[in-house]
Every structure is written in structure tokens, then in C-alpha cells.
Amino acid sequence: MLDFPRWKIWLVTLTTVIGCLFAVPSFLPDRVVAQLPGFMQARVNLGLDLSGGSHILLEASTQDVAAQRIQNMEEMIRTELRRSDARIAIGEMSTRNNQLSFMVRNASQVDAAVERIRPLTQGAGLTGQRDFNVEVRDGNTIVVTPTEAGVANAIESAMQVATEVIRKRIDEMGTREPTIIRQGSNRIVVQVPGLQDPAALKDLLGQTAKLEFKLVDTTANPADLARGIAPIGSEILPYPENPLGQPVIAVKRQVMVSGDELIDAQQAYDPQTNAPVVSIRFNGSGANKFARATQQNVNKPFAMILDGSVLSAPNINEPILGGSAQISGNFTVASANQLAISLRSGKLPVKLTVVEERTVGPDLGADSIRKGVLAGVIATVAVLVLMVAVYGRFGVYANLALVFNILMIVGVMAIFNATLTLPGIAGFVLTIGAAVDANVLINERIREEQRRGRSIIQTIETGYKEAQRAIFDANTTNVIAAALMFYFGSGPIKGFAVVLTIGIVTSVFTAVTVTRMFASFWLRSRPATLNI
């Protein structure tokens, strides 16, 4: 067991050195880090509570969501009843009292109108209800009323999309580890570390993303695309998910339909194959433009472009009339739903009002860092002295493992761009205190075996063998607890869980593997006595 082949020594040493090496930039000034190679510039990020930043609380208007749904339904009904192949004439539409009502001019077409409107309604989640009730009053007046379940479902959907839009827009800033969480049914908390100007954050969230539909230029030469050369009248855009492998694609400059004319996008299923698809709907003008463009370009691909990047480029198999279409492809339910969210996130689905804003200064964080570092230094020195005093040579091994463990925690956090928060510092200090637990357990097992009169090699080998089972079991339960905190927690709780998880993994590695390697080196000198 204590036999360490050369490859294993190199592997353990290399892992330890790399982990410690990546910790170095986090302790250097910015000007020094800027001169390092790119892969060595990764550092531990500081959270909002340590580095300061902006905090805003956004609130969505539920009345705005309800009014928007009625407006969308009005557009869809007008488009459906004006279809050229079976037009149904109607009077002026009224949206008073949060319901939609209109008169069908020819009373004999009322039933036909209802039959065409009802498919426009959808199920309200798992409630078993529809999102709109459709009924006929006075013989020829159709009233479409939103249900409570439908409104609640729409608010939930709007808040999900709004959260995703906000997250994407903040990610575009290059900000690391922002906190974006729901608060209640209609509020979103946004915290951005390092951003000291809440006004800039509000401006960003007030912008509208640009969604466009354009024809793909199939005449483009792949070799020219690789060199950044597009055919005349076309442009090259990034296409990260291109199934052909090339991360760019050429599209016509002329816009078929803009995202302002898209009403909705939902994950659905193909009625014939039951495969996941994405269902999209346009308003009246968008439907006419889309129908005209698809009639003229059957069997040609078109691209859906969000903020200058192509999301998907499906083929036009047939003219798409009526203002709705299905985007098919090799979708899973998750990927189709993600594409639908991306399409919907072209713009915020609901108006968000800032109800609270504040700037968190870095002074409190700097004081916390100083006290955290002081606590860490005191804890480290106390542990170092205690281990040497109690276990002698094996205490020195444990101390070296502890130092490596501290550096590796910082190095791993830097590699993964993890964020250190105030609770994270608490987790860090806790990890230092618990890091030597494994070595205490190992050393005590070695003492027990020594009292039984075994040889030095058998004593150390059995001590490590018996102790590591308990070490792995105990730390596995800790990792499970940290994983649950990360999954169910948010913001600082996640930061604590991340530091704790990294600390547990690195401490087991250094306390068990690294110290065992040191012990094997010592045993090669064939010691006559074991003082522990």
C-alpha cells in the first residue's frame, strides 16, 4: 500500500504543483498579473459583500402581464379570422374589463369562429384549465376572458423569461458570478459584484435585444467564410451550434421578419412524429411578411438571429402561412425549450420597475477580508504548532499537507473562476480547522497499531488503510450536504457550498495521498524507531 511507483509520485507532485501555482495570481497586484501569460491570469473573484457592487430590486407589474396577454390574443384572433382561405368578418374589438369581446357580422359563422379561436387557447400548467374562456353571448358576440390560472401561469412564465433575459444581458457585461434570484412571485433581485454604478445596470436592463429572421446565403464558399469573406449582399455571423461544424454562417443582409413581430415561442410536439419542436407565432404584419418570404424561398434555410448570433438555421420545407410555424430539428425537450426561451428572451416580456437600488461599498468587504485573513493565519499557526507538538515527524507531514491544501483551494477556485463571499471565508477558515482531522485520525490509528507491537511498516500501512475508510465516508456525507446547499441555496449560501466542497476534496487529497507519499519516502531509509 505504501509502495509509490514513479508514475504515481509524478502524478501526485504534478497535481499539487499545478494547484499551488494557480493560487499565486490571486495574491499578486493587478499590474503584475497583467504581465503573466493568459492561462495564469485566472484569479479568485470576490463577491458583492467583499468587493462591493450594485444591488437593485426589480418588480414586475401583474396588470401589465394581463394586459399584454389580451393584446396578444387580440392579434392572434384577428390573424386567424382574416385568413384569406376562410375569412370571417367581425366588428370592432373591445378590451374593456380585462376581457376581449367582438361581434361576428354573419351570425351563421359564430360557431365556425369559436372553433377557430379555441385552439388559440392553451392549458394553464397542470391545473387542467385553459388560459382563456371562450363563450358566445347574445347570439353573435364572442367574449374571450382570461382565467385566473391562465394569468398566474403567464406571470410565472414572464418572470422566468425576464430572469433569463436579465442573466444574459449581465453576462454580456463580462461580469462574473452575478446573483439573480426570484423574490416572491413578481420580484427579481440583481446583485453585480464590482459594478459601482447602479444607473449603468438599470440602463442595461432597459435595453431591448435584437431578434431577426434572415435567409441563409447557400452560395457562400466555406473556405471564404473561414477567411471572413462573405458574398455580396450577405454578412458573416457567428453560429456556435452549427451542425456542419463551422462556427460561422453567411446570411442575407435583408431582414425577413424582425423580432418585434414575434408574439410567442413555446416548446411543443410534432403531432405526427411526437418529436419535440418549437412553435412560434407572429403578429399580423409579421405573419404576412413571413408567409411571403417562405412562399418565395421553399427548400432554402433561414436563420434566427439574436443579438448578432445565429440561434438556429432550419429549412423551409413548405410555405408557412397563418402567422405560426414549427421549427423542427434534432431537438430534445430540453433543447427545444431552451431555444423557445432564447426566442422569447429577445426582449423583456414584462415591464420591470426598480423599487430598490443601492451601492455596496468595498470598505466593509475589505475589513471582512482583513479579519478573515487574520483568523485564517491564527488558525493555521495554532494547528501547525499543535500537530508538531503532538505527532512529531507525522505532524510535520500534516502541516505540509495543510499548507498545500490552502494553496490548492485558492488555485482550484481561480481555475473555475469561483467567487469568494463572506460566508465563503467562513467556509475557508472552517476547512483549515478540519483539514487536519484526517491526519489526526490516521496518526491515532498508527499509534494503536504501534501499541499492538507490529513492525514500523505494518504499523503505518495498517494505520492508513484502516483510517482512510472512515475519512472517505465522513467526507462523502459532507460533500453531499454541500451539494444540497449549492442546489437549493443562492448567492452567499452557494459561495459557502463551493468553498466547502473544494476544501473537502483538496484536504482529502493532501491529507491522505500527499502525507502517505511522504511516509513512503521516509520508510525507504529503513528507520529503526517510530516516534509518534
Side-chain angles (χ1 to χ4, degrees):
M1 178 182 174
L2 290 173
D3 181 32
F4 263 71
R6 182 166 296 179
W7 68 267
K8 198 171 182 179
I9 293 174
W10 277 106
L11 182 62
V12 172
T13 304
L14 194 63
T15 303
T16 306
V17 170
I18 291 176
C20 296
L21 196 61
F22 275 95
V24 174
S26 296
F27 300 103
L28 298 177
D30 293 342
R31 56 182 176 78
V32 177
V33 174
Q35 298 174 359
L36 297 176
F39 69 94
M40 281 297 297
Q41 293 184 3
R43 306 169 73 180
V44 175
N45 303 312
L46 298 180
L48 184 73
D49 49 2
L50 295 179
S51 65
S54 297
H55 166 106
I56 61 174
L57 177 61
L58 303 168
E59 184 176 84
S61 168
T62 54
Q63 291 80 10
D64 184 54
V65 175
Q68 186 65 41
R69 291 182 70 242
I70 291 179
Q71 184 179 345
N72 292 343
M73 178 56 76
E74 180 182 353
E75 284 284 346
M76 289 190 291
I77 291 175
R78 288 185 184 280
T79 302
E80 178 63 29
L81 298 184
R82 286 177 178 173
R83 275 171 28 194
S84 58
D85 56 337
R87 183 184 179 90
I88 296 178
I90 62 175
E92 287 297 320
M93 283 192 178
S94 170
T95 56
R96 286 180 297 181
N97 300 324
N98 292 325
Q99 63 182 16
L100 191 63
S101 62
F102 58 93
M103 184 182 69
V104 178
R105 295 189 184 282
N106 187 345
S108 65
Q109 292 182 305
V110 170
D111 291 340
V114 171
E115 290 300 317
R116 288 167 62 174
I117 292 172
R118 281 204 169 120
L120 300 179
T121 65
Q122 299 176 349
L126 301 177
T127 62
Q129 301 180 39
R130 308 297 293 179
D131 56 351
F132 283 91
N133 287 328
V134 182
E135 57 183 326
V136 179
R137 296 178 185 172
D138 301 329
N140 64 342
T141 300
I142 295 177
V143 179
V144 181
T145 309
T147 62
E148 291 185 5
V151 173
N153 193 54
I155 292 173
E156 177 63 23
S157 177
M159 294 302 293
Q160 286 182 0
V161 176
T163 305
E164 185 66 21
V165 172
I166 291 171
R167 190 183 308 281
K168 287 183 176 180
R169 293 182 183 182
I170 292 179
D171 286 346
E172 288 294 323
M173 299 172 66
T175 304
R176 296 170 178 171
E177 299 287 339
T179 299
I180 304 167
I181 55 175
R182 292 273 301 277
Q183 185 180 77
S185 61
N186 65 333
R187 288 186 169 188
I188 301 174
V189 175
V190 182
Q191 295 179 337
V192 184
L195 183 64
Q196 301 296 330
D197 185 7
L201 184 58
K202 287 192 296 182
D203 291 342
L204 172 72
L205 299 182
Q207 294 175 359
T208 300
K210 191 176 182 181
L211 180 65
E212 297 171 313
F213 295 78
K214 296 182 178 180
L215 284 173
V216 175
D217 191 340
T218 54
T219 64
N221 187 318
D224 290 339
L225 290 181
R227 290 183 296 165
I229 302 175
I232 297 175
S234 299
E235 61 182 335
I236 298 176
L237 296 178
Y239 185 13
E241 303 297 329
N242 190 345
L244 300 179
Q246 198 168 21
V248 295
I249 192 172
V251 299
K252 299 286 187 181
R253 291 185 182 278
Q254 183 178 4
V255 178
M256 290 169 54
V257 189
S258 69
D260 294 335
E261 294 164 306
L262 184 69
I263 294 177
D264 196 12
Q266 295 285 342
Q267 182 268 318
Y269 293 93
D270 188 296
Q272 297 180 344
T273 64
N274 206 32
V277 296
V278 178
S279 175
I280 58 176
R281 284 178 177 170
F282 293 105
N283 61 16
S285 62
N288 293 333
K289 293 178 183 177
F290 200 62
R292 211 164 36 244
T294 53
Q295 281 176 327
Q296 298 170 355
N297 297 282
V298 174
N299 295 325
K300 295 180 181 177
F302 70 99
M304 292 178 289
I305 305 159
L306 180 63
D307 284 340
S309 179
V310 176
L311 294 174
S312 179
N315 208 53
I316 302 172
N317 296 322
E318 58 185 12
I320 303 173
L321 310 176
S324 62
Q326 284 186 347
I327 304 172
S328 58
N330 296 322
F331 290 123
T332 62
V333 172
S335 63
N337 191 51
Q338 183 61 40
L339 178 56
I341 290 176
S342 297
L343 290 173
R344 295 199 303 269
S345 67
K347 60 181 180 180
L348 285 170
V350 60
K351 183 179 180 181
L352 296 173
T353 304
V354 178
V355 295
E356 178 187 328
E357 67 175 85
R358 56 190 166 92
T359 301
V360 180
D363 296 340
L364 178 61
D367 185 59
S368 300
I369 292 174
R370 282 195 299 273
K371 291 182 178 177
V373 171
L374 179 62
V377 170
I378 294 174
T380 303
V381 172
V383 169
L384 294 177
V385 173
L386 180 66
M387 292 302 290
V388 173
V390 175
Y391 297 112
R393 171 183 292 276
F394 283 80
V396 174
Y397 295 161
N399 289 342
L400 290 174
L402 177 60
V403 173
F404 290 146
N405 179 48
I406 293 172
L407 293 175
M408 288 185 71
I409 292 174
V410 178
V412 173
M413 289 183 69
I415 291 173
F416 290 102
N417 280 328
T419 297
L420 182 64
T421 61
L422 196 55
I425 288 183
F428 198 96
V429 176
L430 179 64
T431 302
I432 293 174
V436 293
D437 282 357
N439 288 112
V440 170
L441 191 58
I442 292 170
N443 294 342
E444 290 300 324
R445 289 293 303 177
I446 291 176
R447 279 180 171 176
E448 287 183 14
E449 298 303 321
Q450 187 182 33
R451 285 194 289 269
R452 291 176 181 173
R454 296 180 184 271
S455 67
I456 294 178
I457 294 179
Q458 287 179 330
T459 295
I460 297 175
E461 182 173 340
T462 305
Y464 270 97
K465 185 178 180 180
E466 295 298 326
Q468 72 177 17
R469 295 176 185 168
I471 294 170
F472 287 136
D473 289 346
N475 285 285
T476 299
T477 56
N478 287 335
V479 169
I480 292 173
L484 291 174
M485 279 196 295
F486 183 84
Y487 183 78
F488 291 107
S490 61
I493 302 300
K494 283 191 174 183
F496 178 81
V498 169
V499 175
L500 188 62
T501 303
I502 294 174
I504 289 171
V505 174
T506 56
S507 67
V508 170
F509 172 75
T510 54
V512 177
T513 306
V514 175
T515 60
R516 192 167 60 184
M517 184 176 70
F518 291 155
S520 71
F521 290 161
W522 179 63
L523 289 176
R524 290 179 183 179
S525 65
R526 300 184 181 279
T529 57
L530 172 62
N531 297 318
I532 185 171

